[in-house]
């Protein structure tokens, strides 16, 4: 069988990198894989249950590779061999089946599907993404980010497109508890603001792929002036994560009409909500007072009961 040879992909060797489900790890490292290794990863993600039942020869045939490539794929994920990979996939798909997810996750949404079926699939996908994010997220990194934001003189939040919407939501939450925060979506304005940052400030870059050039540039500019940099992304080895001081990871479950970049939004919001609460916990008196003042300020615009 002809096989495309690829450059070696570094294996997962530390314990922290092996936290979370095996499918989360495969998905997060997919951009690193090329050629034959990428085909194996895509085959595993396309139908994990079948992969768990396949022999090494069968998986090689389905992915158009070879048993040697399957072995390299296993080692890149930190497994000693294919048997260990199969066991982990089987355990994960077993948990999904017990939670009632297997009927919906991985199935394409068809144009004629009733909305009830679509809703069930979206709920299943989002539930799985939340569970995977909780397993993947390093709470120590959340603690570090919260501590930095709680004492920051200024917080800049950078993001584009859907990530910009998430950033604006986080900025609004921080403002309500008295944290000086700004959300920047225009790269020129964002770079200008980043250039004025200094020690004691915090810059947060949001990008599902971790490869959005504008967000990378703004975060790098902020970091070059001494700001503590935080990345929120789904890929721990993406350029955005590589340049950040603190990395917060999310997981996704794509569905038809809602690819990874869109399905990442809910997990991103959950992580940022956790970060917001962690900041509020560290600034209880200030946050409580600020929240009450901001609530009173808008109270007159709420509908009143007769």
């Amino acid at each position: 069988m002809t096989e495309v040879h690829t450059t070696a992909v570094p294996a997962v060797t530390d314990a922290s990198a092996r936290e979370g489900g095996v499918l989360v790890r495969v998905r997060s490292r997919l951009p690193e894989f090329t050629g034959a290794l990428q085909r194996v990863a895509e085959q595993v993600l396309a139908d994990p249950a079948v992969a768990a039942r396949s022999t090494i020869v069968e998986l090689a045939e389905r992915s158009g590779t070879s048993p040697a490539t399957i072995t390299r794929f296993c080692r890149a994920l930190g497994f000693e061999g294919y048997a260990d990979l199969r066991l982990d996939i089987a355990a994960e798909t077993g948990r999904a089946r017990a939670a009632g997810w297997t009927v919906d996750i991985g199935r394409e949404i068809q144009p004629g599907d009733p909305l009830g079926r679509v809703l069930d699939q979206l709920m299943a996908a989002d539930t799985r993404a939340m569970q995977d994010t909780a397993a993947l997220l390093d709470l120590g990194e959340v603690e570090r980010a919260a501590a930095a934001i709680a004492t920051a003189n200024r917080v800049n939040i950078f993001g584009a497109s859907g990530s910009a919407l998430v950033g604006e939501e986080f900025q609004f939450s921080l403002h309500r508890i008295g944290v000086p925060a700004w959300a920047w979506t225009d790269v020129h304005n964002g770079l200008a603001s980043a250039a004025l940052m200094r020690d004691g400030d915090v810059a947060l870059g949001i990008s599902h792929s971790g490869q959005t050039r504008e967000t990378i540039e703004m975060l790098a500019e902020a970091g070059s002036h001494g700001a503590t940099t935080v990345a929120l992304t789904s890929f721990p080895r993406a350029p955005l994560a590589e340049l950040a001081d603190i990395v917060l990871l999310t997981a996704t479950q794509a569905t038809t009409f809602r690819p990874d970049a869109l399905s990442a939004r809910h997990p991103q919001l959950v992580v940022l909500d956790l970060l917001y609460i962690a900041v509020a916990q560290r600034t209880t008196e200030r946050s409580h007072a600020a929240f009450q003042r901001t609530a009173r300020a808008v109270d007159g615009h709420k509908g009143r009961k007769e």
Side-chain angles (χ1 to χ4, degrees):
M1 181 180 297
T2 302
E3 179 182 347
V4 178
H5 293 281
T6 63
T7 55
V9 177
V12 177
T13 55
D14 57 287
S16 61
R18 294 214 36 192
E19 292 178 356
V22 59
L23 299 179
V24 175
R25 301 206 304 274
V26 173
R27 193 174 294 110
S28 69
R29 300 198 66 186
L30 189 59
E32 301 171 43
F33 297 137
T34 58
L37 288 178
Q38 187 176 72
R39 294 201 298 275
V40 176
E42 290 172 346
Q43 182 64 40
V44 169
L45 292 174
D47 200 335
V50 169
R53 296 193 300 269
S54 299
T55 67
I56 190 170
V57 173
E58 290 170 340
L59 183 58
E61 290 177 347
R62 287 192 176 93
S63 58
T65 62
S66 71
T69 297
I70 306 300
T71 300
R72 283 198 297 126
F73 177 76
C74 295
R75 290 174 179 167
L77 293 173
F79 295 100
E80 291 185 5
Y82 183 58
D84 293 331
L85 174 66
R86 283 183 66 187
L87 284 173
D88 266 27
I89 295 176
E92 191 163 337
T93 55
R95 288 192 296 269
R97 189 177 300 108
W101 295 334
T102 51
V103 171
D104 297 308
I105 290 181
R107 175 188 178 274
E108 291 293 319
I109 296 175
Q110 303 301 322
D113 281 351
L115 286 182
R117 173 86 189 203
V118 174
L119 176 60
D120 287 344
Q121 184 168 353
L122 290 178
M123 292 296 293
D126 281 351
T127 299
R128 180 63 179 273
M130 300 298 185
Q131 295 284 355
D132 288 345
T133 295
L136 195 63
L137 188 63
D138 185 337
L139 295 181
E141 292 286 86
V142 178
E143 297 273 6
R144 289 180 61 205
I149 292 173
T151 59
N153 299 310
R154 179 185 186 89
V155 177
N156 272 344
I157 303 163
F158 306 118
S161 189
S163 295
L165 299 176
V166 174
E168 288 171 349
E169 179 74 17
F170 186 54
Q171 183 263 343
F172 171 75
S173 296
L174 291 180
H175 253 310
R176 289 295 301 268
I177 59 172
V179 176
W182 288 262
W184 303 97
T185 58
D186 178 82
V187 66
H188 292 169
N189 292 335
L191 285 171
S193 183
L196 297 176
M197 300 189 81
R198 58 185 186 274
D199 289 345
D201 295 338
V202 176
L204 168 66
I206 305 173
S207 170
H208 159 66
S209 68
Q211 299 185 43
T212 305
R213 187 182 66 185
E214 294 83 356
T215 304
I216 293 169
E217 289 179 356
M218 291 185 284
L219 196 68
E221 180 70 23
S224 71
H225 295 284
T228 298
T229 54
V230 183
L232 178 63
T233 181
S234 299
F235 300 97
R237 293 174 178 80
L240 187 71
E242 293 288 348
L243 68 86
D245 300 313
I246 300 169
V247 179
L248 307 178
L249 294 175
T250 58
T252 64
Q253 282 287 339
T255 60
T256 312
F257 308 121
R258 199 177 63 151
D260 281 346
L262 293 179
S263 61
R265 193 170 302 168
H266 290 157
Q268 287 173 341
L269 287 170
V270 167
V271 172
L272 290 179
D273 201 28
L274 176 65
L275 180 57
Y276 157 70
I277 293 173
V279 172
Q281 286 177 320
R282 285 161 175 75
T283 58
T284 304
E285 292 185 7
R286 184 184 76 184
S287 294
H288 183 69
F291 198 84
Q292 286 200 325
R293 290 200 301 272
T294 55
R296 284 197 299 269
V298 301
D299 188 60
H301 291 270
K302 295 179 179 179
R304 297 184 180 276
K305 294 181 180 180
E306 296 295 335

